[in-house]
Amino acid sequence: LAPSTQPWRSPGEPQAPFFLLTPRWPVECEVIHETIEHIGEGMLQLGFPPKPEPFCPPMGPEQALYNISEEQGTVVYHSSRALQGSCFTRARVGGAPGPLSSPASPLEGPQDTTLLFESRFESGNLQKAIKVGPYEYMLMLQPDLYTAKHTQWFYFRVQNTRQEPLYRFTIANMAKPNSLYGQGLQPLLYSQRDAQSRGIGWRRVGTDVCYYRGSAGEPLLFRLSWTVRFPHDGDTCFFAACYPYTYSDLQRYLRALAADPVRSRYCTVQVLCRSLAGNPVHLLTITSPGGTAGKRVVVVSARVHPGESGSSWAMRGFLDFLLSAHADAWLLRRLFVFKVVPMLNPDGVVVGNSRCSLAGRDPNRAYGMALPSSFPSVWHLRAMVQRVLAEREVVLYCDFHGHSRKNNVFMYGCDASRDGTGTRLCQRVFPLMLSKNAPDKFSFSSCKFQVQKSKEGTGRVSMWRLGVSHSYTLEVAFSGSTLGGRSSHFSVEDLKSLGRLLCDTLLDFCDPAPAKFQQCLVEADALLQQQMGHEPGSGGSWSDVSPSELESRYVTPCHSMSPHSA
């Protein structure tokens, strides 16, 4: 499968069969032979909670627990993948060759209540578990492979559960000083027994959830602690930071697309490039069959940060809607060519990283580097957009992400103070329209448009520098929404709905009738005038004010524009 060099291959033409490839792992990684799957694929009405799950009352810092240490307990699980300071050399299907080690301590008998931990599966992350009490465990996460940092994503299995006791888990090496776990976010639990017998999938659990500073030391680390009761004796359960979406999940979805005689007429699946480990980075071209003459282009990507799995569910909703029989989806396919890279960092997703690729660095800071051998996916994506821009307009670029410290959904755009007032206002129109179409999820007041020097290597800024006028990062909170009377976690259906809402907003944004666009321009100007303290109609100017100064204050917009309809 060679990298794609023909960006205008038309949907509707015959394409090669899509083969489900087993992921390639670095040879340092042991991988168990079991296939880990959860209900949800095709069973969303059963697999996920039907009602909103409210935020839990967080514990304050003054209630932080005593600082337990590894010396106070017994190591019952230890899986080490790569030595600090090492670097990626080669990969193979199945990871490390040879027989598997036994990182979990064996049970002493049927009365032994010690939990059995495991994380050596796709997207799994748990390095160590220390039993510090009969039902209390201190956990250590695996840093991103070939680094010593970026501990945030977790996903692991526990077996030998007991229903009656109250368990406490404390992850002792979280990297960020602030987290939504301090504002009501709860971990996710999946019970295999409940999935099999009752059709219940992932759900939010945990009481006494607390996020606090750990013991003094270098580097500075933070702790996430929660208590939970398991639903059954002898169950197999999983914990995760967000709804998992693995590279194999994506491949199964793409295989179903390629095999669908209707949807495959609108969509071709190609290989943009191969990752460092040799995993294909997929590129989808979506448009109506026939010629592409006169069509503008929309470029969408996701999962450059592997620990932000919610972005994959938003991408799933985007693709589901765009390839559906809905009249708006038909119109979008007729008007545009969509170039979609649903998983930019498959290696990071496979090994359970939070942020980095196998280069040991954040690929979303590498768009400005001419290093195709180190960051192949972002290099080839940027090169593809350059080729497209040489032929036609790219009306929008949007990169889907997750956010660990702010609630709701919001966007980052690109506002250069050297641009004229009209251009700076236009940067704000698309997010403002999205806030009106998703008033219970999207916060326009949380959007930022400043182009910071530290963000020059991001996809958003790089595409803008290439000439994509409307280039955004879509940030989806790990937690949920505080808008529209909500104070609850996002469900998978919430995340998927963002993809549909983005499609609705694209039609509003490109509507040949200018009324909605003009209304949002006027409202964006009024909001900026208010931020500068100018009275409405006073004629005050903000055009010479820097984006950083504008963002030091914000005003909440109204939601008077009716949502998009067919």
Side-chain angles (χ1 to χ4, degrees):
L1 293 172
S4 169
T5 57
Q6 299 177 354
W8 299 115
R9 180 182 177 186
S10 176
E13 297 177 7
Q15 54 183 309
F18 186 91
F19 295 103
L20 191 64
L21 301 176
T22 305
R24 294 172 61 85
W25 294 68
V27 293
E28 297 92 338
C29 297
E30 289 193 334
V31 185
I32 62 174
H33 303 304
E34 301 170 58
T35 299
I36 304 296
E37 291 188 69
H38 306 295
I39 62 170
E41 294 293 311
M43 296 181 62
L44 291 178
Q45 73 279 9
L46 294 176
F48 296 94
K51 297 179 180 179
E53 296 180 289
F55 295 145
C56 73
M59 294 175 64
E62 69 281 355
Q63 298 170 280
L65 306 171
Y66 63 95
N67 280 317
I68 54 177
S69 65
E70 182 175 339
E71 291 73 24
Q72 295 173 255
T74 303
V75 176
V76 295
Y77 178 81
H78 190 190
S79 174
S80 184
R81 298 189 299 187
L83 297 175
Q84 181 178 337
S86 62
C87 62
F88 172 72
T89 56
R90 62 190 181 93
R92 65 188 295 273
V93 171
L100 293 174
S101 64
S102 299
S105 301
L107 298 178
E108 296 180 356
Q111 302 305 313
D112 190 344
T113 60
T114 301
L115 291 175
L116 298 174
F117 292 83
E118 182 58 86
S119 65
R120 296 172 299 167
F121 48 80
E122 194 175 347
S123 293
N125 189 313
L126 178 67
Q127 183 182 68
K128 186 185 291 187
I130 302 105
K131 187 176 183 179
V132 295
Y135 302 103
E136 183 171 0
Y137 295 85
M138 185 175 82
L139 310 177
M140 303 292 288
L141 302 182
Q142 173 74 49
D144 281 5
L145 210 56
Y146 313 118
T147 81
K149 51 188 179 180
H150 304 302
T151 44
Q152 177 174 277
W153 167 258
F154 59 90
Y155 176 31
F156 57 90
R157 184 179 76 186
V158 293
Q159 294 176 306
N160 197 38
T161 62
R162 298 294 189 273
Q163 183 178 16
E164 185 178 342
L166 183 67
Y167 289 81
R168 177 175 293 281
F169 298 94
T170 301
I171 299 175
N173 64 333
M174 300 290 279
K176 294 188 176 182
N178 299 304
S179 171
L180 287 166
Y181 289 110
Q183 301 178 42
L185 172 63
Q186 293 172 286
L188 282 160
L189 172 75
Y190 182 96
S191 160
Q192 205 156 284
R193 292 262 301 269
D194 279 346
Q196 293 168 351
S197 63
R198 302 169 60 197
I200 297 175
W202 290 101
R203 60 200 189 230
R204 299 286 175 178
V205 299
T207 52
D208 297 333
V209 178
C210 187
Y211 195 89
Y212 60 102
R213 181 173 175 171
S215 301
E218 295 295 337
L220 183 61
L221 296 174
F222 298 84
R223 298 190 171 200
L224 166 63
S225 182
W226 71 95
T227 56
V228 67
R229 281 190 169 88
F230 290 108
H232 304 285
D233 289 337
D235 200 358
T236 293
C237 293
F238 295 82
F239 286 105
C242 191
Y243 300 103
Y245 194 98
T246 66
Y247 181 57
S248 291
D249 289 333
L250 173 65
Q251 288 203 92
R252 283 188 285 269
Y253 181 74
L254 296 182
R255 182 175 63 176
L257 283 185
D260 187 315
V262 176
R263 292 186 296 174
S264 62
R265 293 178 59 233
Y266 317 130
C267 176
T268 60
V269 181
Q270 298 167 270
V271 175
L272 177 70
C273 63
R274 285 189 178 271
S275 67
L276 291 183
N279 291 307
V281 179
H282 298 102
L283 168 67
L284 281 61
T285 301
I286 301 170
T287 192
S288 55
T292 60
K295 291 185 178 182
R296 294 184 290 175
V297 179
V298 175
V299 182
V300 184
S301 59
R303 212 65 185 280
V304 69
H305 292 151
E308 299 168 5
S309 61
S311 67
S312 281
W313 288 106
M315 174 62 76
R316 171 73 175 269
F318 175 80
L319 293 173
D320 280 351
F321 182 79
L322 191 58
L323 293 167
S324 72
H326 195 284
D328 285 352
W330 178 88
L331 181 58
L332 285 165
R333 296 192 298 265
R334 186 171 66 85
L335 292 174
F336 301 103
V337 177
F338 292 86
K339 308 297 273 188
V340 183
V341 183
M343 191 171 285
L344 275 165
N345 188 356
D347 294 348
V349 172
V350 167
V351 303
N353 278 1
S354 290
R355 198 167 184 87
C356 296
S357 69
L358 296 185
R361 295 177 63 182
D362 181 350
N364 200 40
R365 297 295 184 272
Y367 278 86
M369 304 176 185
L371 295 172
S373 60
S374 297
F375 303 99
S377 61
V378 298
W379 190 92
H380 282 278
L381 174 61
R382 187 177 186 275
M384 182 199 71
V385 173
Q386 281 184 302
R387 292 195 303 271
V388 170
L389 283 167
E391 300 181 26
R392 62 192 72 204
E393 178 188 358
V394 177
V395 68
L396 179 79
Y397 171 72
C398 189
D399 191 22
F400 292 10
H401 283 252
H403 205 281
S404 66
R405 289 175 288 180
K406 289 171 68 174
N407 283 309
N408 307 311
V409 183
F410 51 95
M411 277 181 151
Y412 294 138
C414 299
D415 176 0
S417 52
R418 66 177 184 274
D419 290 336
T421 301
T423 300
R424 298 179 70 186
L425 281 176
C426 285
Q427 285 290 327
R428 291 161 169 80
V429 169
F430 191 91
L432 186 56
M433 285 182 166
L434 186 51
S435 74
K436 295 175 184 297
N437 286 331
D440 64 335
K441 299 179 184 70
F442 192 95
S443 170
F444 182 75
S445 62
S446 295
C447 295
K448 303 289 185 184
F449 300 90
Q450 180 184 3
V451 179
Q452 298 170 308
K453 187 175 181 180
S454 63
K455 302 299 176 67
E456 284 288 340
T458 63
R460 162 179 61 101
V461 177
S462 179
M463 301 304 174
W464 178 63
R465 297 285 188 206
L466 286 178
V468 181
S469 299
H470 301 283
S471 184
Y472 301 99
T473 299
L474 180 74
E475 295 280 356
V476 183
F478 286 10
S479 53
S481 173
T482 59
L483 304 173
R486 289 186 57 163
S487 185
S488 58
H489 295 86
F490 285 140
S491 66
V492 163
E493 287 304 304
D494 284 325
L495 297 173
K496 291 179 67 182
S497 74
L498 295 172
R500 173 183 58 79
L501 292 164
L502 191 83
C503 291
D504 288 346
T505 304
L506 181 60
L507 285 176
D508 288 334
F509 186 71
C510 297
D511 193 334
K516 291 179 181 179
F517 195 96
Q518 291 298 326
Q519 177 187 337
C520 285
L521 281 178
V522 170
E523 185 174 340
D525 182 65
L527 289 168
L528 291 170
Q529 296 283 4
Q530 290 178 54
Q531 286 177 229
M532 296 309 301
H534 300 151
E535 293 294 327
S538 65
S541 174
W542 52 266
S543 60
D544 58 345
V545 180
S546 69
S548 59
E549 185 177 348
L550 286 172
E551 289 170 8
S552 63
R553 291 166 286 179
Y554 69 86
V555 178
T556 302
C558 66
H559 291 89
S560 57
M561 186 185 83
S562 59
H564 169 80
S565 57

